[in-house]
Amino acid sequence: MDRALGLAALARGRTSPNPLVGALVLDARGLLVGEGFHAAAGMTHAEVGALAQAGDRARGGTLVVTLEPCCHHGRTPPCSEAVITAGIRRVIVAMEDPDPRVAGEGIKALRLAGTEVLVGVRQAEAQNLNAAFCHRLRTGRPLGVLKWAMSVDGRTALSNGASQWISGPASRQRVHELRAHCDAVIVGGGTLRSDDPLLTSRGRRALEPLRVVISRGLNVPERAQLWDQRAAPTLVAHGPEAPEAARQRLDGLGVERLELACCEPLELMQALARRGCNQVLWECGPELAAAALRQGCVQRLVAVVAPKLLGGIAARTPLGDLQLNSMAMAPSWQEMGLSRSGADLIWELNGPDG
């Protein structure tokens, strides 16, 4: 199962709206004869790939898979049928599929066909691997990751707005990897105006994540790196009050617009979930970050702490007002990891509903 989990992880950031799945086949003697993983939506499922590699050697053998085999017709046929047809004697499953189209029915179909099924091997690891997929199914919105880089004294920019670069090259490489594991990267109009970011993974994945700008009144610059979509697609979300001239300017540039009835983080996240996003990255300013937190749109934090002192009473900090009136209102976040990145420290935290 550890091998199957490792195979599944190879496709991080590329399978949405589908989950990450890895599988391997052992023959009747217990020898590895096939393995596979789901590489992208619409492509071969992990079980089918492993069974195809095993061929006739799968008959009477064991399938080890990180997620319950599906039992419905989507872009590909049901995996449960392929397992039964291959003559697999036993199936070992890490976790049940939370998708309501499956939800135990795949396991039921296998057992009805006389296949022995064992469920729950490395279940916690499998659930962690697909935390974003499970979160979207449970809540109707993607799992949100909020990232910022700050100095030791908690500043994300100088008083004059200068912020490049607080963190070192190694940490910026880590951020590119983080983007590669997300389906979308979100900024606000303020970040777009001040930083003119590119927001790509710098080629760490074939299809770059969707770059999203949320700007209620479309107060965005006429020229920006995000308007050039040869590197990656861009979506601009705005409210009904956005002026017609600003709408037409973006339309003329070929930039996709999304009008939200209530231009807030929660409604944007619901729209991104409908587009099939499992996990998104917030790389925004303090006010938008605080709004995303208040509206339950952030489940994980990645804080990069650089060994610098910026000072300044008016210097920018990572978060705006969270509207807390007592310490009891401040939720506790659990540490996921603390690591060195060049001269910086990267602290990863999991939220109460992460």
Side-chain angles (χ1 to χ4, degrees), residues 13 68 79 87 97 122 150 155 160 208 253 282 346-347:
E68 172 185 3
C79 291
D97 190 340
R122 292 286 192 270
M150 67 181 183
R155 307 305 196 203
N160 64 4
E208 291 284 352
L253 292 168
W282 294 89
I346 296 184
W347 201 12

Side-chain angles (χ1 to χ4, degrees), residues 161-205:
S163 62
Q164 296 181 346
W165 295 101
I166 292 176
S167 59
S171 296
R172 296 198 291 275
Q173 296 282 341
R174 289 274 293 272
V175 171
H176 297 157
E177 293 172 6
L178 178 58
R179 289 175 184 165
H181 293 163
C182 295
D183 302 306
V185 182
I186 306 172
V187 297
T191 298
L192 181 63
R193 292 189 297 272
S194 63
D195 295 349
D196 188 21
L198 185 59
L199 300 182
T200 68
S201 71
R202 305 304 194 268
R204 282 165 175 75
R205 54 183 278 183

Side-chain angles (χ1 to χ4, degrees), residues 100-122:
R101 296 172 298 176
V102 186
E105 290 300 313
I107 292 170
K108 181 179 178 181
L110 292 172
R111 286 175 171 159
L112 285 173
T115 308
E116 178 189 349
V117 183
L118 176 64
V119 183
V121 177
R122 292 286 192 270

Side-chain angles (χ1 to χ4, degrees), residues 8-353:
L10 293 175
R12 282 185 187 274
R14 301 199 300 273
T15 63
S16 295
N18 294 347
L20 294 161
V21 186
L24 51 88
V25 176
L26 307 176
D27 67 12
R29 297 175 296 167
L31 299 177
L32 177 64
V33 292
E35 59 184 18
F37 66 94
H38 182 48
M43 296 187 68
T44 303
H45 285 195
E47 304 95 307
V48 174
L51 290 169
Q53 194 177 92
D56 291 339
R57 294 172 295 177
R59 189 161 300 277
T62 298
L63 172 72
V64 179
V65 63
T66 59
L67 188 71
E68 172 185 3
C70 65
C71 56
H72 64 280
H73 284 271
R75 297 188 193 181
T76 58
C79 291
S80 56
E81 290 184 8
V83 174
I84 294 167
T85 301
I88 288 289
R89 180 179 61 84
R90 182 173 63 165
V91 177
I92 301 174
V93 180
M95 63 175 284
E96 289 190 11
D97 190 340
D99 189 323
R101 296 172 298 176
V102 186
E105 290 300 313
I107 292 170
K108 181 179 178 181
L110 292 172
R111 286 175 171 159
L112 285 173
T115 308
E116 178 189 349
V117 183
L118 176 64
V119 183
V121 177
R122 292 286 192 270
Q123 179 173 286
E125 292 88 339
Q127 289 173 337
N128 182 62
L129 181 69
N130 274 310
F133 171 73
C134 295
H135 181 83
R136 179 178 63 80
L137 289 177
R138 186 174 70 250
T139 67
R141 57 183 184 270
L143 187 143
V145 181
L146 173 61
K147 164 263 168 188
W148 67 70
M150 67 181 183
S151 61
V152 171
D153 57 333
R155 307 305 196 203
T156 60
L158 296 172
S159 298
N160 64 4
S163 62
Q164 296 181 346
W165 295 101
I166 292 176
S167 59
S171 296
R172 296 198 291 275
Q173 296 282 341
R174 289 274 293 272
V175 171
H176 297 157
E177 293 172 6
L178 178 58
R179 289 175 184 165
H181 293 163
C182 295
D183 302 306
V185 182
I186 306 172
V187 297
T191 298
L192 181 63
R193 292 189 297 272
S194 63
D195 295 349
D196 188 21
L198 185 59
L199 300 182
T200 68
S201 71
R202 305 304 194 268
R204 282 165 175 75
R205 54 183 278 183
L207 295 176
E208 291 284 352
L210 177 68
R211 303 176 299 183
V212 180
V213 180
I214 179 169
S215 175
R216 186 175 289 107
L218 278 184
N219 181 15
V220 295
E222 292 188 14
R223 294 183 176 85
Q225 292 191 93
L226 296 191
W227 305 158
D228 182 353
Q229 299 183 84
R230 290 172 294 183
T234 300
L235 170 71
V236 179
H238 61 83
E241 67 271 34
E244 185 61 29
R247 298 173 187 236
Q248 292 179 0
R249 186 167 64 247
L250 288 178
D251 292 345
L253 292 168
V255 177
E256 183 183 1
R257 289 187 297 104
L258 173 64
E259 181 175 321
L260 300 174
C262 179
C263 192
E264 294 289 341
L266 180 57
E267 187 169 347
L268 173 61
M269 292 288 269
Q270 292 167 340
L272 291 175
R274 290 192 292 270
R275 293 174 71 107
C277 293
N278 283 339
Q279 179 166 292
V280 304
L281 178 63
W282 294 89
E283 290 198 54
C284 53
E287 296 307 322
L288 181 54
L293 278 163
R294 290 196 305 267
Q295 295 175 30
C297 298
V298 175
Q299 284 68 50
R300 293 183 178 173
L301 299 177
V302 177
V304 182
V305 185
K308 297 177 181 177
L309 297 174
L310 301 187
I313 295 175
R316 193 166 66 178
T317 58
L319 296 175
D321 186 8
L322 292 178
Q323 299 178 4
L324 304 179
N325 297 317
S326 69
M327 289 300 293
M329 294 175 64
S332 296
W333 293 66
Q334 295 182 339
E335 181 176 290
M336 293 178 62
L338 179 62
S339 60
R340 289 194 174 276
S341 178
D344 306 328
L345 292 176
I346 296 184
W347 201 12
E348 299 176 67
L349 302 172
N350 197 32
D353 64 339

